[in-house]
Amino acid sequence: MDSSLNILGPIWIALGFAFAYWWIWAPLILVFVYIEALAQYNRRVYLAGLKWILLELRLPMDPHKSPKAMEQLFSALHSIGGIGDPPENASASFKAWRAKVFEGKVPDWYSFEIFATGGEIHFYVRCQEKHRSIIEAQIFAHYPDSEITPVADYMIHLPSDIPDDQYDVNGAELGLTKEGIFPIRTYPEFEEEGAGKDDVRRIDPLAPLAEALNAFLLGEYGAIEYLIRSASEKWTKAWIKDPKNQSALDKLMGKEEKKVTTFADSVFAGIEGGARSVAGTIYEPPAPPKEEKKKEDKPFNQLSPGTQDIIKTTEKALAKLQFQVGIRILYAARKDKFVKERLSTMTAPFRLFSGQALNGFKTAFSPEVKKGFDKEAKTTTNKHKLFGRYRTREFPEKPFVLNTEELATVFHFPDVGVKTPSLPRIETKKGEAPAGIPIV
């Protein structure tokens, strides 16, 4: 009984202080709630005021382009908005906070998209109208014979909100299997030199995805959106120094892991100490841990060959321009034509980019709830949320980071080696009339 009182005593004292001084902490909580609600409202107003345009992309029958062209295109598009430099002082932090709360501003982004239905595959780019000229210019620069046409949103083929009585939907949002600092497999690994100097045998990593989408029947709809926004050089440097990334690198190199004390740890330690003091007990700090022999760092040349290759590949990947990326996959169909296995045929091709030693893709969000109470209702709610996020092209709250080479690997225009008949190709090339033709 006495032990129970000793434990509950500090709790009752803390509650007594909370009730006695409610007039101090309650208004502060209300202010924070108001500021958060104001920020969300202004963000919705800001997003509603953005003017978007959807452009359909069609390429020549034989573009003779590798994903390298797409990598150069993404490098050129890195100048579009995106995440700026982290605030360096209090004044900059206040300006960023004011823009977020009172103006609702968010970093600019755009999306490259794939849509398939009835055996037809289409490529799109969705961007703000103010960015249309630079995106069109860069696409024409790297794919001169392509066609770019403004079109209506392909989501008009579907009801405004599903699932409903006629349609069902499923999908996923992808994430990375390891810390974001480690790269995925990229397109150079899918190439091998042939007999000649310029003879390169290429296995297009998007060929399985194209074949999967080609199998969609009339009344089935498959869509993938790649949401992209650039990251500044200073932001990238700060991201590389993130404790999680550094801890993963230290572990890979056999270094001693450093324990990071968070703000929450400090707060709870202070509460524990204060509670002990209020209870009248003598606070005895824990005995210091025994000194262990410090683990010596291995020189790079003493690491295993596999570890050396991972470090070299990671350093090479971090030297390129970086983007924050989100990949969202959607499958919808009438209930009488809905095939549950279709989603797996859309997500399976992304496993090609995974490697045991490097990074890879996994399903970060799935609407299906397999455990717990009221699974069907929760699954339906999640499906509505996923469909709504796809329809509005909402940028994910927790994006992952890819560089230009990785981004070009997961999205590019399939080359002529991909024989999928439903790919949008231009049968003939455009050209100017020969000189000297008489004008009538």
Side-chain angles (χ1 to χ4, degrees), residues 169-243:
V169 66
N170 202 358
E173 293 180 352
L174 301 185
L176 297 178
T177 56
K178 298 180 181 179
E179 285 75 10
I181 198 169
F182 296 118
I184 61 173
R185 291 181 66 198
T186 53
Y187 65 85
E189 297 187 41
F190 297 89
E191 299 176 350
E192 59 181 8
E193 295 182 0
K197 180 180 179 181
D198 298 327
D199 183 16
V200 178
R201 299 175 183 175
R202 182 180 302 111
I203 302 174
D204 196 316
L206 289 188
L209 180 60
E211 292 295 337
L213 296 175
N214 182 56
F216 279 41
L217 303 176
L218 194 65
E220 290 184 296
Y221 304 92
I224 305 174
E225 59 186 15
Y226 302 80
L227 303 146
I228 304 165
R229 65 184 179 197
S230 58
S232 68
E233 182 179 355
K234 289 185 178 180
W235 183 92
T236 301
K237 289 181 178 179
W239 170 75
I240 293 173
K241 294 179 181 179
D242 182 85

Side-chain angles (χ1 to χ4, degrees), residues 103 185 204 286 331 345:
E103 300 176 23
R185 291 181 66 198
D204 196 316
Y331 168 68
T345 65

Side-chain angles (χ1 to χ4, degrees), residues 63-296:
H64 290 297
K65 295 285 187 179
S66 76
K68 184 68 176 177
M70 202 69 195
E71 181 181 355
Q72 294 173 348
L73 190 152
F74 282 127
S75 296
L77 297 183
H78 192 267
S79 60
I80 296 179
I83 298 293
D85 297 339
E88 297 181 349
N89 50 52
S91 177
S93 298
F94 176 75
K95 289 181 180 178
W97 177 82
R98 184 178 59 186
K100 177 182 177 181
V101 174
F102 295 100
E103 300 176 23
K105 288 186 176 181
V106 296
D108 291 339
W109 78 94
Y110 52 92
S111 62
F112 281 86
E113 305 177 9
I114 305 175
F115 177 70
T117 182
E120 296 183 357
I121 302 176
H122 301 270
F123 292 90
Y124 300 92
V125 58
R126 183 178 183 266
C127 63
Q128 295 182 45
E129 289 186 354
K130 64 180 181 180
H131 298 145
R132 175 182 176 180
S133 59
I134 184 174
I135 290 178
E136 286 185 336
Q138 293 304 322
I139 293 176
F140 283 130
H142 296 88
Y143 301 91
D145 298 312
S146 60
E147 289 185 356
I148 304 176
T149 309
V151 293
D153 192 351
Y154 56 82
M155 294 298 288
I156 61 174
H157 294 286
L158 295 168
S160 58
D161 189 20
I162 56 177
D164 57 15
D165 295 338
Q166 296 182 344
Y167 285 85
D168 199 359
V169 66
N170 202 358
E173 293 180 352
L174 301 185
L176 297 178
T177 56
K178 298 180 181 179
E179 285 75 10
I181 198 169
F182 296 118
I184 61 173
R185 291 181 66 198
T186 53
Y187 65 85
E189 297 187 41
F190 297 89
E191 299 176 350
E192 59 181 8
E193 295 182 0
K197 180 180 179 181
D198 298 327
D199 183 16
V200 178
R201 299 175 183 175
R202 182 180 302 111
I203 302 174
D204 196 316
L206 289 188
L209 180 60
E211 292 295 337
L213 296 175
N214 182 56
F216 279 41
L217 303 176
L218 194 65
E220 290 184 296
Y221 304 92
I224 305 174
E225 59 186 15
Y226 302 80
L227 303 146
I228 304 165
R229 65 184 179 197
S230 58
S232 68
E233 182 179 355
K234 289 185 178 180
W235 183 92
T236 301
K237 289 181 178 179
W239 170 75
I240 293 173
K241 294 179 181 179
D242 182 85
K244 290 184 179 179
N245 288 330
Q246 289 300 313
S247 177
L249 286 175
D250 291 343
K251 184 177 180 180
L252 176 67
M253 299 178 67
K255 294 182 178 180
E256 186 177 359
E257 295 186 38
K258 299 177 181 178
K259 185 178 179 181
V260 180
T261 303
T262 64
F263 175 74
D265 294 334
S266 302
V267 171
F268 283 121
I271 293 174
E272 181 182 5
R276 288 178 179 270
S277 300
V278 171
T281 59
I282 300 175
Y283 176 67
E284 297 180 358
K290 296 181 180 179
E291 293 185 3
E292 298 180 359
K293 189 175 181 182
K294 189 176 181 181
K295 191 176 181 181
E296 295 183 359

